[in-house]
């Protein structure tokens, strides 16, 4: 945030920001591209507070979070002065109680009747927006009071439930994919559940629980997963191929660990996807495969007959150990600008 007093200052600062990468605690060290600059009226404030509405797992519904200390890092306030953070659970059926909102506004630093009424009205309207827009977070920081006593929402962050995209088309049409991880954008187009991480072992798993367990086993063996990727129970050959393309194109990935328990998802479908991906994409990265369950023998036969060089095992611990070992070798070779070829057994 930059404060300007002249038009020329606005133009100068905006030209320096556009096209650059913005790095904050929220963006991570890689930052986000700055494609737009929002210019708004400068207000002289005598008070800055914090207000948010979010979905709270513990209470099973919306939670209002407020503080008299706004305009700063709210995480720091929570860590250093937790007594200044005030929570108000809200019933989805009944909505917020006016008396509770008045008390919350007072705790935020709006004790007098007129300013209290303004704060309460803003909180009610924000809650209405939260419900109507299928939001998962509305964060206003600061909720400020100008020198004339007017209460304003001066900066805000909103998150929306992806599952409501079908009925919030206008909101989701505003989506800016340049601000997102390109790997996650590509995965979504193929209807894959994917979250990018910072490690170098690509994971391809069916089932969220198994995916989490797979990442844990990799960590326990000294490795770092490059992603969470859940194929789900109904993936087809094309989706499996798309998943491999995603991992193959990721420059951070040194090795790929496939961990499939065939229940709803058949192992032979995974094997066909692996073979198709290896053939079409020219997969160069080493692949460690652990398959178990439905059609597993058929899957092994397909892989064996394909002639592709892949490491297979029935044991997850062994699969993780192999993936970590292979990834480390590939990483060292890349750093030394050497090519590496893996001969079986490894």
């Amino acid at each position: 945030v930059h404060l300007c007093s002249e038009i020329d200052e606005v133009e100068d600062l905006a030209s320096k920001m556009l096209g650059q990468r913005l790095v904050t605690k929220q963006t991570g060290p890689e930052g986000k591209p700055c494609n737009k600059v929002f210019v708004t009226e400068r207000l002289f404030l005598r008070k800055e507070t914090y207000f948010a509405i979010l979905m709270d797992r513990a209470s099973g519904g919306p939670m209002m979070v407020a503080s008299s200390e706004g305009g700063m890092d709210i995480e720091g306030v929570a860590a250093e002065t937790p007594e200044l953070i005030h929570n108000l659970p809200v019933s989805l059926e009944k909505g917020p109680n006016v008396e509770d909102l008045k008390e919350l506004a007072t705790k935020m630093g709006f004790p007098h009747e007129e300013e209290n009424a303004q704060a309460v009205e803003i909180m009610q309207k924000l809650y209405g927006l939260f419900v109507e827009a299928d939001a998962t977070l509305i964060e206003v920081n600061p909720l400020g009071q100008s020198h004339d006593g007017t209460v304003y929402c001066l900066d805000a962050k909103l998150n929306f439930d992806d599952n409501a995209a079908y009925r919030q088309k206008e909101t989701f049409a505003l989506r800016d994919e340049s601000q997102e991880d390109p790997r996650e954008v590509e995965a979504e187009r193929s209807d894959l559940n994917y979250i990018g991480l910072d490690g170098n072992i690509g994971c391809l798993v069916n089932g969220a629980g198994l995916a989490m367990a797979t990442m844990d086993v990799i960590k326990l063996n000294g490795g770092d997963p490059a992603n969470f990727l859940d194929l789900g129970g109904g993936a087809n050959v094309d989706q499996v191929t798309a998943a491999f393309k995603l991992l193959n194109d990721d420059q951070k990935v040194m090795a790929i660990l496939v961990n499939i328990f065939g229940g709803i998802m058949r192992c032979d479908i995974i094997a066909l996807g692996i073979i198709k991906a290896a053939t079409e994409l020219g997969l160069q990265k080493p692949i460690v495969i652990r398959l178990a369950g439905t059609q597993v023998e058929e899957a092994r036969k397909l892989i064996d007959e394909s002639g592709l060089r892949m490491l297979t095992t029935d044991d997850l611990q062994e699969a993780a150990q192999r993936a970590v070992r292979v990834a480390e070798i590939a990483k060292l070779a890349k750093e030394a600008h050497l090519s590496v070829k893996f001969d079986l057994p490894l």
Side-chain angles (χ1 to χ4, degrees):
V1 177
H2 293 282
L3 300 178
C4 304
S5 54
E6 302 289 341
I7 293 294
D8 291 343
E9 286 184 72
V10 175
E11 184 177 353
D12 179 58
L13 285 168
S15 66
K16 293 176 180 176
M17 296 166 69
L18 288 167
Q20 303 300 314
R21 295 192 74 84
L22 179 67
V23 180
T24 69
K25 289 183 178 180
Q26 286 77 28
T27 67
E30 70 282 356
K32 298 289 184 184
C34 179
N35 301 324
K36 299 177 183 179
V37 173
F38 181 58
V39 180
T40 186
E41 177 188 0
R42 179 180 180 179
L43 296 176
F44 294 90
L45 304 176
R46 66 186 187 191
K47 187 180 299 179
E48 295 184 47
T49 70
Y50 174 92
F51 178 76
I53 309 172
L54 49 86
M55 292 302 295
D56 178 59
R57 187 181 297 274
S59 62
M63 175 75 75
M64 291 184 173
V65 181
S67 176
S68 59
E69 301 300 309
M72 61 182 73
D73 177 13
I74 194 63
E75 290 84 2
V77 176
E80 297 171 14
T81 51
E83 69 276 7
L84 298 179
I85 303 292
H86 309 287
N87 298 324
L88 176 63
V90 179
S91 166
L92 273 171
E93 292 78 17
K94 299 178 182 178
N97 179 278
V98 174
E99 293 304 316
D100 290 337
L101 293 181
K102 288 181 179 179
E103 182 180 350
L104 190 62
T106 299
K107 292 177 179 178
M108 292 170 64
F110 301 111
H112 304 299
E113 184 176 351
E114 184 176 345
E115 61 181 5
N116 188 279
Q118 288 186 66
V120 168
E121 182 181 6
I122 287 173
M123 288 189 279
Q124 287 175 319
K125 289 181 176 179
L126 288 175
Y127 182 77
L129 173 64
F130 183 84
V131 174
E132 292 169 14
D134 289 298
T136 56
L137 169 71
I138 295 180
E139 181 181 51
V140 181
N141 188 20
L143 180 69
Q145 185 179 43
S146 67
H147 66 283
D148 65 359
T150 305
V151 180
Y152 292 93
C153 294
L154 293 168
D155 195 3
K157 175 182 178 180
L158 291 85
N159 291 344
F160 302 94
D161 187 349
D162 292 341
N163 295 309
Y166 72 96
R167 66 183 179 197
Q168 300 291 347
K169 291 182 172 61
E170 186 176 350
T171 297
F172 279 81
L174 300 172
R175 180 179 177 183
D176 182 358
E177 292 182 350
S178 71
Q179 301 297 309
E180 302 179 44
D181 186 327
R183 299 172 298 177
E184 295 180 9
V185 173
E186 186 62 32
E188 186 176 334
R189 289 174 181 152
S190 298
D191 199 24
L192 299 171
N193 298 314
Y194 177 95
I195 299 173
L197 302 172
D198 296 326
N200 62 4
I201 299 176
C203 303
L204 193 153
V205 190
N206 69 318
L210 189 59
M212 295 295 289
T214 302
M215 293 191 293
D216 286 343
V217 174
I218 289 173
K219 291 289 289 184
L220 286 170
N221 283 279
D224 286 300
N227 63 275
F228 168 98
L229 201 167
D230 169 22
L231 284 173
N236 55 41
V237 173
D238 289 337
Q239 284 178 298
V240 176
T241 304
F244 270 103
K245 184 179 187 305
L246 197 65
L247 300 180
N248 193 51
D249 291 345
D250 190 338
Q251 295 302 310
K252 292 181 180 178
V253 172
M254 296 290 109
I256 298 172
L257 173 57
V258 179
N259 183 22
I260 300 297
F261 181 78
I264 300 174
M265 185 76 238
R266 287 166 36 192
C267 292
D268 59 331
I269 296 293
I270 297 296
L272 288 170
I274 294 171
I275 295 167
K276 182 180 179 182
T279 304
E280 293 183 358
L281 305 175
L283 279 173
Q284 298 299 315
K285 296 175 180 178
I287 301 174
V288 180
I289 304 173
R290 182 258 183 176
L291 298 173
T294 307
Q295 302 288 80
V296 67
E297 293 304 326
E298 289 83 350
R300 288 174 182 154
K301 183 178 179 182
L302 286 168
I303 293 171
D304 290 341
E305 292 177 352
S306 72
L308 298 171
R309 303 179 67 82
M310 301 180 190
L311 301 166
T312 58
T313 178
D314 298 330
D315 183 72
L316 177 56
Q317 171 69 7
E318 183 180 353
Q321 289 174 343
R322 288 185 173 187
V324 171
R325 192 185 317 164
V326 168
E328 183 61 28
I329 294 170
K331 178 184 176 184
L332 291 172
K334 183 178 180 180
E335 291 172 351
H337 305 288
L338 298 172
S339 61
V340 60
K341 179 180 179 181
F342 295 95
D343 290 322
L344 304 182
L346 184 67

